[in-house]
Amino acid sequence: MKLINTLILASLCWASSASAALVLKTEGLACTEDYNEWGHGSFCPCPESSVYNKKVGECLVGDPWPILVQGTLLSKNATGPRVALATKFGRFELLVKRSEVEKLRRAHGLSFEVSGEFILLQGKDKKDQPTIIVDTLSWLE
């Protein structure tokens, strides 16, 4: 079963990198210095054929995929606007509003259903990190 889940996540990541939203770094661009509720500048001019996503704080090429998953919240060591969700398909980073992070730290280990937009963000280790830009986060009893 674990092998099947790994294959599903791998195919999801491969398929998404082929046609889901790709991230273009905004480093060196003249972005606004204010911070929105997601912890990023409210505006940044992007190269042609890309659109600034204020939730991610980066320019995206393509469209994020809608996603709905259930899993266990991993928020004990959360920093910034991200926490994680462990699912049967693997681990997803969750991109949430900064105001939600403190509440979510207290929900570590609880089951949640998450809906939002799936993208691949580059992690600290330079690998693509499956990420959900959270629209709704519902606690499951």
Side-chain angles (χ1 to χ4, degrees):
M1 186 65 161
K2 194 170 189 174
L3 176 63
I4 292 171
N5 290 339
T6 303
L7 291 173
I8 291 170
L9 180 62
S11 65
L12 175 67
C13 291
W14 176 81
S16 63
S17 64
S19 57
L22 301 174
V23 175
L24 298 176
K25 295 294 179 189
T26 56
E27 295 168 6
L29 298 177
C31 303
T32 58
E33 293 183 11
D34 65 321
Y35 290 100
N36 62 26
E37 60 193 348
W38 295 85
H40 304 290
S42 296
F43 175 76
C44 193
C46 292
E48 191 173 324
S49 74
S50 67
V51 176
Y52 182 69
N53 184 302
K54 66 181 182 179
K55 295 176 182 178
V56 180
E58 303 286 354
C59 299
L60 300 182
V61 175
D63 297 320
W65 289 6
I67 188 169
L68 175 68
V69 291
Q70 295 178 352
T72 304
L73 192 68
L74 306 173
S75 59
K76 203 172 204 173
N77 299 316
T79 58
R82 292 186 191 174
V83 294
L85 189 74
T87 74
K88 64 182 181 179
F89 303 109
R91 178 185 167 122
F92 292 88
E93 293 294 315
L94 301 179
L95 189 59
V96 298
K97 295 177 186 174
R98 284 195 178 272
S99 61
E100 300 294 315
V101 174
E102 193 57 41
K103 295 178 212 170
L104 293 175
R105 281 195 185 118
R106 290 179 256 147
H108 177 79
L110 297 178
S111 295
F112 281 84
E113 180 175 85
V114 177
S115 69
E117 299 173 310
F118 175 79
I119 61 171
L120 291 174
L121 284 180
Q122 193 174 74
K124 293 178 184 175
D125 57 0
K126 304 291 185 193
K127 292 183 180 178
D128 286 338
Q129 188 71 43
T131 303
I132 300 173
I133 305 168
V134 175
D135 289 329
T136 62
L137 187 72
S138 305
W139 176 55
L140 301 172
E141 294 186 33

